[in-house]
Amino acid sequence: MTPADALPASRAHDSIGVFDSGVGGLSVLRALREELPAERFVYVADSGHAPYGERDDAHVIARSHAITRYLLERHHIKALVVACNTATAAAIKLLRQDYPDLPIVGIEPALKPAAAQSQTKHVGVMATRGTLNSEKFRTLLESLHGQATFVLQPCDGLADAIEHADATKIIAACARYTGAMGPFGTENNAMDTLVLGCTHYPFVTDVLRPLVGDHVAFLEGGAPVARQTRRRLVERGWLATSDAAQRPTAAALTFGTTGQRDELVSAVQRWLHMAVEAETLKIE
Ligand code: DGL
Protein backbone atom coordinates (compact mmCIF):
# COMPACT_ATOMS: atom_id res chain seq x y z
CA MET A 1 0.00 0.00 0.00
CA THR A 2 1.43 3.44 -0.93
CA PRO A 3 1.15 6.29 1.56
CA ALA A 4 -1.42 7.97 -0.69
CA ASP A 5 -3.65 4.87 -0.55
CA ALA A 6 -3.52 4.98 3.22
CA LEU A 7 -4.97 8.49 3.40
CA PRO A 8 -8.74 8.91 3.52
CA ALA A 9 -10.04 10.34 0.24
CA SER A 10 -10.49 14.11 0.41
CA ARG A 11 -14.09 15.23 0.56
CA ALA A 12 -13.16 18.76 -0.50
CA HIS A 13 -14.87 18.52 -3.87
CA ASP A 14 -18.04 16.81 -2.72
CA SER A 15 -21.23 18.86 -2.53
CA ILE A 16 -22.91 20.50 0.43
CA GLY A 17 -26.59 19.58 0.76
CA VAL A 18 -29.04 22.37 1.59
CA PHE A 19 -32.75 21.92 2.21
CA ASP A 20 -35.82 23.86 3.23
CA SER A 21 -39.56 23.27 3.13
CA GLY A 22 -39.48 25.22 -0.12
CA VAL A 23 -37.87 28.24 -1.72
CA GLY A 24 -37.06 30.06 1.55
CA GLY A 25 -33.72 28.33 1.99
CA LEU A 26 -32.53 30.15 -1.13
CA SER A 27 -31.89 33.10 1.22
CA VAL A 28 -29.41 30.87 3.04
CA LEU A 29 -27.96 29.49 -0.20
CA ARG A 30 -27.31 33.08 -1.29
CA ALA A 31 -25.23 33.66 1.86
CA LEU A 32 -23.49 30.29 1.48
CA ARG A 33 -22.44 31.10 -2.08
CA GLU A 34 -21.01 34.43 -0.95
CA GLU A 35 -19.05 32.89 1.90
CA LEU A 36 -18.02 29.72 0.07
CA PRO A 37 -17.71 30.57 -3.63
CA ALA A 38 -15.67 27.47 -4.49
CA GLU A 39 -18.19 24.98 -3.10
CA ARG A 40 -20.75 22.87 -4.93
CA PHE A 41 -24.29 22.86 -3.55
CA VAL A 42 -27.31 20.61 -3.97
CA TYR A 43 -30.54 22.39 -3.00
CA VAL A 44 -33.73 20.51 -2.19
CA ALA A 45 -37.02 22.41 -1.89
CA ASP A 46 -39.56 20.18 -0.18
CA SER A 47 -42.40 22.24 -1.58
CA GLY A 48 -44.61 19.19 -2.10
CA HIS A 49 -44.72 18.75 1.68
CA ALA A 50 -44.78 22.41 2.77
CA PRO A 51 -45.47 24.44 4.77
CA TYR A 52 -43.58 22.86 7.65
CA GLY A 53 -44.42 25.65 10.08
CA GLU A 54 -48.06 24.70 10.38
CA ARG A 55 -47.54 20.92 10.51
CA ASP A 56 -46.73 18.74 13.50
CA ASP A 57 -43.19 17.82 14.53
CA ALA A 58 -43.58 14.21 13.35
CA HIS A 59 -44.12 15.40 9.78
CA VAL A 60 -41.13 17.76 9.84
CA ILE A 61 -38.87 15.11 11.43
CA ALA A 62 -39.87 12.45 8.89
CA ARG A 63 -39.31 14.82 5.96
CA SER A 64 -35.93 15.99 7.31
CA HIS A 65 -34.77 12.39 7.62
CA ALA A 66 -36.01 11.41 4.17
CA ILE A 67 -34.26 14.37 2.51
CA THR A 68 -31.00 13.79 4.40
CA ARG A 69 -31.02 10.14 3.31
CA TYR A 70 -31.65 11.18 -0.28
CA LEU A 71 -28.80 13.73 -0.24
CA LEU A 72 -26.35 11.23 1.21
CA GLU A 73 -27.30 8.33 -1.03
CA ARG A 74 -27.76 10.20 -4.28
CA HIS A 75 -25.26 13.07 -3.91
CA HIS A 76 -22.76 11.79 -1.38
CA ILE A 77 -22.83 15.15 0.42
CA LYS A 78 -19.96 16.11 2.74
CA ALA A 79 -22.07 18.46 4.90
CA LEU A 80 -25.72 19.38 5.40
CA VAL A 81 -27.26 22.80 5.93
CA VAL A 82 -30.80 22.74 7.32
CA ALA A 83 -31.87 26.05 5.78
CA CYS A 84 -35.15 26.11 7.65
CA ASN A 85 -35.77 27.39 11.18
CA THR A 86 -38.75 25.08 11.65
CA ALA A 87 -36.87 21.93 10.61
CA THR A 88 -33.84 22.94 12.68
CA ALA A 89 -36.02 23.33 15.77
CA ALA A 90 -37.86 20.03 15.24
CA ALA A 91 -35.24 17.73 13.78
CA ILE A 92 -31.60 18.81 13.98
CA LYS A 93 -30.89 17.03 17.26
CA LEU A 94 -32.22 13.76 15.86
CA LEU A 95 -30.37 14.19 12.56
CA ARG A 96 -27.10 14.73 14.44
CA GLN A 97 -27.74 11.58 16.47
CA ASP A 98 -28.41 9.54 13.35
CA TYR A 99 -25.52 10.95 11.28
CA PRO A 100 -22.70 11.62 13.73
CA ASP A 101 -20.07 11.78 10.97
CA LEU A 102 -21.90 14.35 8.88
CA PRO A 103 -21.33 18.01 9.74
CA ILE A 104 -24.86 19.45 10.11
CA VAL A 105 -25.47 23.18 10.41
CA GLY A 106 -28.90 24.59 11.26
CA ILE A 107 -30.48 28.01 11.53
CA GLU A 108 -32.24 29.72 14.41
CA PRO A 109 -33.94 33.10 14.67
CA ALA A 110 -31.29 35.80 15.26
CA LEU A 111 -32.47 36.76 18.76
CA LYS A 112 -29.01 37.10 20.29
CA PRO A 113 -27.65 39.66 17.82
CA ALA A 114 -31.02 41.43 17.91
CA ALA A 115 -30.92 41.84 21.71
CA ALA A 116 -27.32 43.04 21.50
CA GLN A 117 -27.90 45.65 18.82
CA SER A 118 -31.37 46.98 19.69
CA GLN A 119 -31.29 50.46 21.25
CA THR A 120 -34.89 50.42 22.46
CA LYS A 121 -34.47 46.83 23.70
CA HIS A 122 -37.76 45.99 22.02
CA VAL A 123 -37.37 43.33 19.34
CA GLY A 124 -40.02 41.91 17.02
CA VAL A 125 -39.79 38.27 15.95
CA MET A 126 -41.69 36.97 12.94
CA ALA A 127 -41.49 33.17 12.56
CA THR A 128 -43.61 30.12 11.93
CA ARG A 129 -45.90 28.74 14.60
CA GLY A 130 -43.75 25.56 14.65
CA THR A 131 -40.56 27.49 15.41
CA LEU A 132 -42.13 29.68 18.11
CA ASN A 133 -43.75 26.67 19.84
CA SER A 134 -40.57 24.59 19.83
CA GLU A 135 -38.54 23.70 22.88
CA LYS A 136 -35.38 24.88 21.13
CA PHE A 137 -36.87 28.34 20.68
CA ARG A 138 -38.12 28.47 24.28
CA THR A 139 -34.62 27.65 25.51
CA LEU A 140 -33.12 30.37 23.31
CA LEU A 141 -35.66 32.90 24.60
CA GLU A 142 -35.00 31.96 28.24
CA SER A 143 -31.25 32.34 27.72
CA LEU A 144 -31.87 36.01 26.84
CA HIS A 145 -34.17 36.72 29.75
CA GLY A 146 -33.88 40.36 30.86
CA GLN A 147 -31.84 41.45 27.85
CA ALA A 148 -34.72 42.70 25.71
CA THR A 149 -38.49 42.50 25.34
CA PHE A 150 -39.35 40.17 22.47
CA VAL A 151 -42.68 40.47 20.67
CA LEU A 152 -43.37 37.07 19.07
CA GLN A 153 -45.55 36.86 15.99
CA PRO A 154 -46.52 33.54 14.39
CA CYS A 155 -47.10 34.24 10.70
CA ASP A 156 -49.47 31.54 9.45
CA GLY A 157 -49.80 31.57 5.69
CA LEU A 158 -46.91 33.95 4.95
CA ALA A 159 -44.33 31.32 3.94
CA ASP A 160 -46.96 29.63 1.77
CA ALA A 161 -47.81 32.92 0.04
CA ILE A 162 -44.09 33.53 -0.64
CA GLU A 163 -43.74 29.94 -1.87
CA HIS A 164 -46.40 30.56 -4.52
CA ALA A 165 -45.33 34.17 -5.20
CA ASP A 166 -48.86 35.33 -4.35
CA ALA A 167 -48.37 39.10 -4.06
CA THR A 168 -51.87 39.84 -2.76
CA LYS A 169 -51.57 37.34 0.08
CA ILE A 170 -48.01 38.45 0.87
CA ILE A 171 -49.04 42.09 1.24
CA ALA A 172 -52.12 41.22 3.32
CA ALA A 173 -50.19 38.89 5.65
CA CYS A 174 -47.29 41.33 6.17
CA ALA A 175 -49.71 44.18 6.95
CA ARG A 176 -51.76 42.06 9.30
CA TYR A 177 -48.83 40.65 11.26
CA THR A 178 -46.74 43.82 11.58
CA GLY A 179 -49.95 45.67 12.54
CA ALA A 180 -50.63 43.14 15.31
CA MET A 181 -47.13 43.43 16.79
CA GLY A 182 -47.27 46.99 18.07
CA PRO A 183 -45.27 50.12 17.35
CA PHE A 184 -42.06 50.03 15.32
CA GLY A 185 -39.48 52.81 15.39
CA THR A 186 -36.84 54.38 17.55
CA GLU A 187 -39.05 55.78 20.34
CA ASN A 188 -39.05 54.16 23.79
CA ASN A 189 -41.03 50.92 23.82
CA ALA A 190 -41.06 50.69 20.03
CA MET A 191 -39.40 47.81 18.16
CA ASP A 192 -36.30 49.05 16.37
CA THR A 193 -35.23 45.53 15.33
CA LEU A 194 -37.22 42.87 13.50
CA VAL A 195 -35.97 39.29 13.42
CA LEU A 196 -36.96 37.44 10.26
CA GLY A 197 -37.15 34.02 11.88
CA CYS A 198 -38.17 32.05 8.81
CA THR A 199 -35.92 31.71 5.80
CA HIS A 200 -38.75 32.70 3.45
CA TYR A 201 -39.16 36.18 4.98
CA PRO A 202 -35.95 37.88 3.76
CA PHE A 203 -37.56 37.79 0.32
CA VAL A 204 -40.36 40.15 1.36
CA THR A 205 -38.35 42.93 3.01
CA ASP A 206 -39.51 45.28 0.24
CA VAL A 207 -43.09 44.72 1.46
CA LEU A 208 -42.17 44.92 5.15
CA ARG A 209 -40.04 48.08 4.88
CA PRO A 210 -42.85 50.62 4.34
CA LEU A 211 -44.92 48.91 7.03
CA VAL A 212 -42.28 49.26 9.78
CA GLY A 213 -40.47 52.41 8.67
CA ASP A 214 -36.94 53.20 7.64
CA HIS A 215 -35.27 52.92 11.02
CA VAL A 216 -36.02 49.31 11.83
CA ALA A 217 -33.17 46.82 11.32
CA PHE A 218 -34.05 43.47 9.75
CA LEU A 219 -32.05 40.50 11.01
CA GLU A 220 -31.81 37.18 9.22
CA GLY A 221 -29.60 34.19 9.86
CA GLY A 222 -28.05 33.30 6.48
CA ALA A 223 -24.61 34.88 6.98
CA PRO A 224 -23.88 33.30 10.40
CA VAL A 225 -24.96 29.91 9.01
CA ALA A 226 -22.54 30.33 6.11
CA ARG A 227 -19.69 31.25 8.46
CA GLN A 228 -20.45 28.26 10.68
CA THR A 229 -20.49 25.98 7.63
CA ARG A 230 -17.06 27.26 6.66
CA ARG A 231 -15.74 26.58 10.19
CA ARG A 232 -17.09 23.02 10.14
CA LEU A 233 -15.44 22.31 6.77
CA VAL A 234 -12.13 23.81 7.83
CA GLU A 235 -12.11 21.62 10.96
CA ARG A 236 -12.30 18.54 8.76
CA GLY A 237 -9.99 19.81 6.03
CA TRP A 238 -12.92 19.55 3.59
CA LEU A 239 -13.07 23.11 2.31
CA ALA A 240 -13.06 23.28 -1.51
CA THR A 241 -10.14 25.07 -3.11
CA SER A 242 -10.67 28.78 -3.64
CA ASP A 243 -8.49 28.78 -6.75
CA ALA A 244 -10.35 31.22 -9.01
CA ALA A 245 -9.54 29.13 -12.09
CA GLN A 246 -11.45 26.23 -10.57
CA ARG A 247 -14.28 28.31 -9.18
CA PRO A 248 -17.53 26.55 -9.99
CA THR A 249 -20.16 28.34 -12.02
CA ALA A 250 -23.92 27.85 -12.00
CA ALA A 251 -23.14 24.28 -13.05
CA ALA A 252 -21.93 23.70 -9.48
CA LEU A 253 -25.49 24.16 -8.28
CA THR A 254 -28.04 21.39 -8.47
CA PHE A 255 -31.69 22.11 -7.74
CA GLY A 256 -34.50 19.69 -7.02
CA THR A 257 -38.03 20.04 -5.71
CA THR A 258 -40.81 17.78 -4.52
CA GLY A 259 -43.25 20.47 -5.68
CA GLN A 260 -43.64 22.62 -8.79
CA ARG A 261 -40.42 22.91 -10.79
CA ASP A 262 -41.36 26.26 -12.33
CA GLU A 263 -41.88 27.83 -8.89
CA LEU A 264 -38.34 26.89 -7.83
CA VAL A 265 -36.80 27.92 -11.16
CA SER A 266 -38.45 31.35 -11.07
CA ALA A 267 -37.55 31.88 -7.40
CA VAL A 268 -33.88 31.19 -8.24
CA GLN A 269 -34.12 33.56 -11.19
CA ARG A 270 -35.77 36.28 -9.10
CA TRP A 271 -33.60 36.05 -6.00
CA LEU A 272 -30.27 34.57 -7.10
CA HIS A 273 -30.38 36.09 -10.60
CA MET A 274 -29.51 32.80 -12.27
CA ALA A 275 -31.19 30.78 -14.96
CA VAL A 276 -31.12 27.17 -13.77
CA GLU A 277 -32.87 23.89 -14.31
CA ALA A 278 -34.55 21.93 -11.56
CA GLU A 279 -35.37 18.27 -11.22
CA THR A 280 -38.67 16.97 -9.93
CA LEU A 281 -37.97 14.71 -6.99
CA LYS A 282 -39.96 12.02 -5.33
CA ILE A 283 -38.48 11.60 -1.87
CA GLU A 284 -40.29 9.24 0.48
N1 DGL B 1 -38.65 28.41 5.66
C1 DGL B 1 -39.07 27.72 6.82
C2 DGL B 1 -38.43 28.27 8.10
O1 DGL B 1 -37.38 28.86 8.06
C3 DGL B 1 -40.51 27.47 7.07
C4 DGL B 1 -41.54 27.71 6.10
C5 DGL B 1 -42.69 26.73 6.26
O2 DGL B 1 -43.56 26.95 7.10
O3 DGL B 1 -42.66 25.74 5.54
O4 DGL B 1 -38.95 28.11 9.17
Side-chain angles (χ1 to χ4, degrees):
M1 190 190 281
T2 64
D5 290 335
L7 290 170
S10 170
R11 306 288 316 268
H13 297 292
D14 289 337
S15 299
I16 298 171
V18 182
F19 83 90
D20 176 44
S21 63
V23 297
L26 294 174
S27 63
V28 179
L29 182 63
R30 190 165 62 183
L32 284 163
R33 296 240 313 147
E34 263 169 43
E35 177 73 27
L36 300 164
E39 298 290 343
R40 295 171 190 281
F41 295 96
V42 186
Y43 184 90
V44 173
D46 198 18
S47 307
H49 301 87
Y52 284 178
E54 292 148 53
R55 306 290 293 268
D56 59 21
D57 276 4
H59 172 81
V60 179
I61 291 168
R63 294 308 305 155
S64 300
H65 271 95
I67 294 164
T68 305
R69 259 193 322 269
Y70 162 82
L71 286 166
L72 281 166
E73 284 167 13
R74 170 87 187 271
H75 292 279
H76 193 51
I77 56 167
K78 63 180 176 184
L80 176 71
V81 176
V82 182
C84 173
N85 293 267
T86 314
T88 299
I92 201 162
K93 202 167 151 190
L94 298 168
L95 290 175
R96 286 185 176 136
Q97 273 167 20
D98 286 359
Y99 302 100
D101 297 327
L102 180 69
I104 303 179
V105 179
I107 185 164
E108 67 180 14
L111 265 57
K112 282 181 211 164
Q117 79 170 58
S118 169
Q119 298 294 313
T120 63
K121 298 298 170 199
H122 279 66
V123 170
V125 183
M126 294 173 72
T128 68
R129 189 167 289 281
T131 295
L132 296 178
N133 286 341
S134 69
E135 203 185 310
K136 202 166 189 306
F137 183 80
R138 237 187 341 267
T139 308
L140 174 64
L141 199 58
E142 277 163 17
S143 75
L144 296 167
H145 182 73
Q147 296 187 33
T149 299
F150 292 98
V151 178
L152 310 181
Q153 181 61 52
C155 300
D156 291 354
L158 180 53
D160 196 49
I162 296 168
E163 194 64 29
H164 300 299
D166 186 330
T168 310
K169 283 193 185 157
I170 291 170
I171 292 167
C174 288
R176 177 162 151 230
Y177 295 133
T178 51
M181 292 174 80
F184 285 94
T186 50
E187 299 80 32
N188 279 346
N189 300 330
M191 291 167 279
D192 64 352
T193 308
L194 180 58
V195 174
L196 306 177
C198 164
T199 53
H200 282 70
Y201 304 165
F203 295 125
V204 292
T205 50
D206 56 334
V207 179
L208 291 168
R209 177 56 70 204
L211 294 165
V212 301
D214 288 339
H215 301 294
V216 171
F218 294 137
L219 288 193
E220 55 174 292
V225 166
R227 289 195 295 272
Q228 176 64 0
T229 306
R230 166 186 283 279
R231 282 192 287 272
R232 299 300 306 275
L233 293 174
V234 169
E235 270 164 30
R236 308 259 177 141
W238 290 354
L239 198 65
T241 170
S242 57
D243 179 349
Q246 291 183 29
R247 177 174 292 195
T249 57
L253 294 171
T254 303
F255 292 93
T257 176
T258 58
Q260 297 296 318
R261 242 178 351 182
D262 55 336
E263 287 186 346
L264 178 58
V265 167
S266 43
V268 174
Q269 175 76 61
R270 200 161 49 244
W271 297 325
L272 270 62
H273 310 294
M274 280 187 314
V276 298
E277 291 186 358
E279 194 185 344
T280 303
L281 305 174
K282 207 164 155 37
I283 301 177
E284 300 300 343

